[in-house]
Amino acid sequence: MTCTHYNFPVPEEKMVRVITDTDLCNEADDPFAVVQALLSPKFDNVGVVAAHFGTRDPNGMQKSWQGLKDLTAQMQLTVPVLHGAPHALPDAATPVPSEGAKLIIREAMKEDTRPLFVLLLGPLTDLASAYLQEPRIAGRLTAIWIGGAPYPVGGPEFNLGNDVNAVNVVFGSTMPVWQVPKNVYEMMPVSMAELEYRVRPQGAVGRYLFDQLVAYSQTPESRASAFRTGESWVLGDNPAPGLLLYEHRFQFDWVPAPYVTADQTYAAIGRNRPIRVYKGIDSRLILDDLYAKLALFAQYMAQKGE
């Protein structure tokens, strides 16, 4: 699925294939990143995959799948919505087969000159499972992962902690990885007033994005968090599509992929190939692109009479 309601053409040689793998219903920021990906005209969105929440909710993957079905239906976009793994890898050698892993393998092995990117907004289970089933995909895609604690030490971080084995599978492979760790994805702060002013007025999708965030902000889990201020949020998943709009080519380091220990710290054993580890992003570019795409999509839907 590629959006066509823009007045600027994307050159064919700039088009990319995109699979977005997301624990959508874990909390409120994933839907913003999914919508930005679905509304980006240089993306051929070949599928969205529902990811699990780790131990937070044993039905998390299914909830994410239903959330993705509802979101794409509301946007009236035809994009495959697939089930990912319902739980983490049992160990670093055993895949958890799923529709999502099959999609990654199928797209990676397809003869298509357009690059394939897998945007991972949660755990790496589906990508690791795909690799364990078909190692040849390593040279045929690029993974962009929102996850991991700051370098060089590492430490507890939600997406990494939901499947440490999967991280070690991916980090131990040869596939290109662009990692956006916690200290960088938290460079995406927004105020609630900003979102009410710039997102909520933008049609049904804008209302959905804002209202589901407000609803989540009132949950006991969110209210108990010292990180939540009551008037701000972090759209920490949006750098995943954002880095395909602008690569930020002077804002990353090449770091040998570490081995992640059970306590989620980084062990620099020096045997893995380097990966991109981002140290900064342009939040203005990413957020303004999101706001513009929401406004243009709302305008487009209004002209259609929807």
Side-chain angles (χ1 to χ4, degrees):
M1 188 282 301
T2 303
C3 287
T4 58
H5 59 273
Y6 297 96
N7 290 317
F8 59 91
V10 176
E12 185 176 348
E13 62 271 18
K14 301 297 184 182
M15 294 290 296
V16 295
R17 292 173 292 149
V18 172
I19 297 170
T20 301
D21 189 291
T22 169
D23 53 351
L24 186 87
C25 293
N26 170 58
E27 60 168 309
D29 55 314
D30 287 66
F32 288 83
V34 173
V35 166
Q36 189 167 19
L38 294 177
L39 293 181
S40 294
K42 77 169 286 178
F43 296 7
D44 180 1
N45 289 286
V46 297
V48 289
V49 178
H52 66 85
F53 299 4
T55 58
R56 176 177 287 182
D57 187 336
N59 298 315
M61 184 277 291
Q62 186 62 32
K63 291 179 179 178
S64 290
W65 180 84
Q66 189 60 58
L68 286 168
K69 292 289 286 186
D70 294 343
L71 176 58
T72 53
Q74 184 179 74
M75 297 177 74
Q76 299 184 29
L77 299 177
T78 55
V79 55
V81 177
L82 303 174
H83 294 88
H87 54 76
L89 300 185
D91 54 58
T94 307
V96 180
S98 68
E99 296 173 343
K102 287 181 181 178
L103 174 66
I104 294 170
I105 294 169
R106 184 168 65 249
E107 279 298 322
M109 300 310 295
K110 182 184 294 182
E111 292 303 321
D112 193 319
T113 58
R114 299 170 302 167
L116 173 63
F117 289 85
V118 182
L119 310 184
L120 298 131
L121 315 183
L124 295 184
T125 311
D126 297 317
L127 180 62
S129 293
Y131 172 75
L132 289 171
Q133 293 175 87
E134 178 48 89
R136 291 181 297 169
I137 69 171
R140 302 177 68 90
L141 61 80
T142 297
I144 302 180
W145 180 43
I146 305 293
Y151 281 77
V153 177
E157 191 274 332
F158 185 76
N159 289 344
L160 187 156
N162 280 340
D163 198 337
V164 174
N165 285 323
V167 175
N168 282 325
V169 168
V170 172
F171 278 12
S173 75
T174 59
M175 75 176 70
V177 173
W178 302 0
Q179 183 184 3
V180 183
K182 186 179 182 70
N183 57 309
V184 178
Y185 69 67
E186 287 194 8
M187 293 178 181
M188 294 289 296
V190 292
S191 75
M192 301 299 285
E194 174 185 3
L195 296 179
E196 181 166 359
Y197 180 70
R198 303 198 67 178
V199 172
R200 195 174 193 277
Q202 307 307 335
V205 177
R207 287 193 301 275
Y208 159 78
L209 289 174
F210 180 79
D211 291 351
Q212 62 90 33
L213 190 151
V214 170
Y216 182 78
S217 73
Q218 299 304 306
T219 62
E221 178 183 60
S222 179
R223 294 173 68 167
S225 171
F227 174 66
R228 309 295 184 194
T229 71
E231 276 205 44
S232 67
W233 210 262
V234 172
L235 298 184
D237 290 314
N238 287 76
L243 289 176
L244 290 181
L245 303 175
Y246 181 69
E247 194 173 325
H248 296 64
R249 59 198 181 105
F250 300 112
Q251 289 296 321
F252 63 83
D253 293 319
W254 289 105
V255 177
Y259 176 81
V260 181
T261 64
D263 64 1
Q264 301 179 47
T265 56
Y266 298 144
I269 56 178
R271 71 183 184 191
N272 295 334
R273 52 75 182 87
I275 60 173
R276 286 191 188 192
V277 177
Y278 274 87
K279 57 187 178 181
I281 42 87
D282 185 341
S283 61
R284 184 222 56 89
L285 170 71
I286 297 170
L287 289 171
D288 280 351
D289 177 78
L290 170 66
Y291 301 148
K293 282 171 175 164
L294 284 169
L296 290 168
F297 185 65
Q299 183 183 72
Y300 168 72
M301 295 299 284
Q303 289 172 348
K304 285 179 62 179
E306 302 294 346

